[in-house]
Amino acid sequence: MADDSLLGFSFPAICRKKMTAAFDGGRLTSDGGVLLLAQAERQLGIAERLAACICDPRDQSRVVHDLDDILRARMLAIACGYEDADDLDSLRHDPGFKLALGKLPGGVIGLASQPTMSRWENAPTTRELVRLTGALVDLYCASYPVPPVAVTLDIDETVDVVHGGQQLSFWNGHYGERCFLPIHVYDTATGRPVAMLLRTGKSPSGVETAGHVRRLIRRIRRHWPNTRITLRGDGHYGRPEIMAWCEANGIDYVFGLPGNKALHADPVIVNRGDACATDRALQGLGVLRRYAETCYAAKSWGPTKRRVVARIEASTMGLDIRFVVTSIELGSAEHIYDTLYCARGQAENLIKLHKTQLKSDRTSCRSANANQMRLILHTAAYWLMWKLRQAVPATAALRNAEFATIRIRLIKVAARVVETASRIRIAFASACPDADIFQHIARALKPAPT
């Protein structure tokens, strides 16, 4: 019988029975689903890919924690909701995490601690960070069993507020904060992350963005020389430098285009806008939408005219006209705007998964290199969650769930770890509501016998 004097706190009595509690349950884990994430990581091989990009100057004969294990523990912790490296001081002895890294739960030596994690976050050089970012692009390409016929890549930036003297921090008047504006690139149709780049808090120029796009596409072309690639973004990316590079290199694009006096005065746009407003009024409709297209060349574009699509919406509040510039010649104006361009809204949801649910905005290091390394580790954690979600049965609601929901339902599952001389038994709760899905994922991610 437990000695109540050793128990730390109590709860109200039930049926006149005293109820006490303490954190002394022994070899338990509150993150049983970390074992599923570990199997996803083994299939993807992210930790080994990243570790191969970083020079390890340690005397290997005296190393206790291999670099790939250090990175693996960090990305598993992020996926489980422990975005701060400080949490590793406790988790390094968690039996679930130790099993996830291939270590016995009863072993004396735990996993790497917070100081070790922090040292390796600050260790990579700029050249190594370039290799790490390229390794994630390679992982994206390798995630397709065969090169796809066509992909659409969404590029966007998101605000990352800073609270100190971090390198690259910059005052942004639009957000009213000192911040970073990291660039995110996703294969939105499948939810795959492609590349994430930390950058200063001001809007990117056309020359800067064209450089990023050039390096990214060239890396992808190493794997997919014949895949048709379409680049999609908002008005920040409808710059002549990017469009000219895409046209010269066979890349399609669909970019938002800020309106101006010349576009609003275009005869085609004016006539279609007037007709839309008139028809709405005559038909007594609250809102009426029409589409138009024209050839347009801004002064900064030089003599090159490009296809511009307009979405015209008449309402009781007046006319609202939005523009898109594209290199795609086929398809109606309605198809270009509603089907192609508006689909980029899903990229905002993917950024939310990365930034809010995986806490990738915890870029609190002073060094820009260290913050970029954190962004890479959080992207690796995104891959683990994506792979886990892909293993969910297609008919299950969790197949389309957000990462936060998957974490609560499949990762935050308590388990008792029992180690004997010949085996390790993991006892999950008998009343787990997602036991069938959990077992299905474990079988789906199980490595093939060698």
Side-chain angles (χ1 to χ4, degrees):
M1 184 175 183
D3 184 356
D4 288 351
S5 64
L6 299 178
L7 302 180
F9 53 100
S10 63
F11 291 97
I14 295 179
C15 297
R16 292 191 284 183
K17 289 188 178 182
K18 183 179 180 181
M19 185 160 50
T20 57
F23 288 95
D24 62 351
R27 200 167 290 165
L28 297 169
T29 179
S30 58
D31 298 280
V34 72
L35 298 173
L36 298 179
L37 291 171
Q39 288 186 216
E41 194 282 325
R42 290 189 191 99
Q43 284 200 3
L44 294 169
I46 305 179
E48 292 182 359
R49 283 178 181 268
L50 299 183
C53 299
I54 305 173
C55 177
D56 187 350
R58 299 176 296 173
D59 180 355
Q60 296 302 307
S61 65
R62 305 177 65 181
V63 166
V64 176
H65 304 292
D66 292 334
L67 179 53
D68 56 342
D69 275 346
I70 294 172
L71 299 180
R72 187 176 291 111
R74 185 75 171 101
M75 64 182 70
L76 287 174
I78 293 170
C80 290
Y82 305 107
E83 65 276 2
D84 294 323
D86 289 344
D87 295 319
L88 271 299
D89 281 339
S90 298
L91 294 175
R92 63 193 300 254
H93 299 293
D94 183 283
F97 276 83
K98 293 179 77 172
L99 289 173
L101 269 74
K103 301 182 183 297
L104 292 175
V108 177
I109 300 177
L111 308 181
S113 62
Q114 176 271 322
T116 302
M117 297 290 177
S118 296
R119 279 195 296 270
W120 281 106
E121 284 183 350
N122 285 269
T125 63
T126 301
R127 188 178 296 274
E128 289 170 339
L129 289 171
V130 172
R131 291 202 293 264
L132 287 163
T133 303
L136 290 178
V137 178
D138 294 341
L139 175 64
Y140 161 67
C141 295
S143 69
Y144 281 87
V146 295
V149 175
V151 294
T152 299
L153 304 182
D154 281 292
I155 181 170
D156 203 355
E157 72 268 2
T158 183
V159 62
D160 182 354
V161 177
V162 301
H163 302 285
Q166 291 103 315
Q167 294 174 352
L168 296 185
S169 65
F170 195 84
W171 174 263
N172 189 298
H174 176 75
Y175 296 105
E177 299 276 5
R178 290 190 68 86
C179 63
F180 303 131
L181 283 182
I183 288 177
H184 289 235
V185 183
Y186 294 93
D187 180 345
T188 303
T190 63
R192 289 172 166 91
V194 182
M196 280 75 200
L197 179 66
L198 189 77
R199 53 175 306 283
T200 188
K202 61 181 180 181
S203 296
S205 66
V207 173
E208 178 193 347
T209 308
H212 298 323
V213 169
R214 181 180 68 251
R215 289 184 287 271
L216 173 62
I217 298 300
R218 285 179 177 174
R219 187 86 184 198
I220 294 174
R221 282 292 185 219
R222 295 182 188 178
H223 304 272
W224 301 340
N226 300 316
T227 297
R228 180 178 178 180
I229 300 174
T230 301
L231 201 63
R232 184 167 58 194
D234 63 12
H236 287 160
Y237 299 94
R239 308 290 179 88
E241 296 87 352
I242 305 176
M243 293 188 288
W245 186 88
C246 288
E247 290 162 355
N249 291 273
I251 305 299
D252 288 325
Y253 59 81
V254 182
F255 295 133
L257 185 66
N260 55 39
K261 291 183 179 179
L263 280 171
H264 284 284
D266 185 282
V268 174
I269 307 299
V270 170
N271 291 337
R272 186 61 61 89
D274 288 346
C276 183
T278 301
D279 291 345
R280 185 210 66 80
L282 292 175
Q283 297 174 31
L285 301 175
V287 178
L288 182 62
R289 178 176 288 192
R290 296 280 173 79
Y291 301 87
E293 64 176 89
T294 186
C295 288
Y296 170 75
K299 186 180 295 184
S300 60
W301 298 0
T304 304
K305 288 192 173 184
R306 297 182 169 95
R307 184 185 185 188
V308 172
V309 168
R311 186 273 286 154
I312 303 168
E313 190 169 274
S315 68
T316 55
M317 303 296 291
L319 275 178
D320 178 56
I321 304 177
R322 303 293 175 90
F323 300 96
V324 167
V325 59
T326 182
S327 64
I328 300 174
E329 298 178 356
L330 301 177
S332 65
E334 181 178 358
H335 173 77
I336 293 294
Y337 191 91
D338 278 355
T339 304
L340 295 184
Y341 179 71
C342 288
R344 65 168 293 276
Q346 176 63 14
E348 298 289 341
N349 294 328
L350 302 182
I351 291 175
K352 181 180 72 172
L353 298 180
H354 197 286
K355 175 183 171 183
T356 305
Q357 299 186 15
L358 291 176
K359 308 296 184 187
S360 65
D361 59 350
R362 292 296 181 93
T363 46
S364 56
C365 296
R366 183 182 182 278
S367 164
N369 280 2
N371 285 324
Q372 175 64 40
M373 182 62 185
R374 285 193 175 185
L375 205 57
I376 289 168
L377 290 171
H378 283 266
T379 304
Y382 185 110
W383 271 109
L384 300 186
M385 296 296 287
W386 178 86
K387 185 69 173 179
L388 181 63
R389 185 169 63 181
Q390 292 299 110
V392 174
T395 56
L398 286 177
R399 181 61 178 258
N400 299 312
E402 294 187 340
F403 290 169
T405 302
I406 291 175
R407 182 185 294 137
I408 292 172
R409 301 288 294 274
L410 296 176
I411 297 177
K412 297 296 181 181
V413 180
R416 181 180 297 279
V417 179
V418 181
E419 181 182 1
T420 65
S422 60
R423 69 173 59 192
I424 298 170
R425 175 172 171 77
I426 304 167
F428 293 102
S430 301
C432 178
D434 298 298
D436 291 340
I437 296 177
F438 195 102
Q439 293 178 69
H440 176 93
I441 296 172
R443 296 188 186 101
L445 296 177
K446 186 176 180 180
T450 56

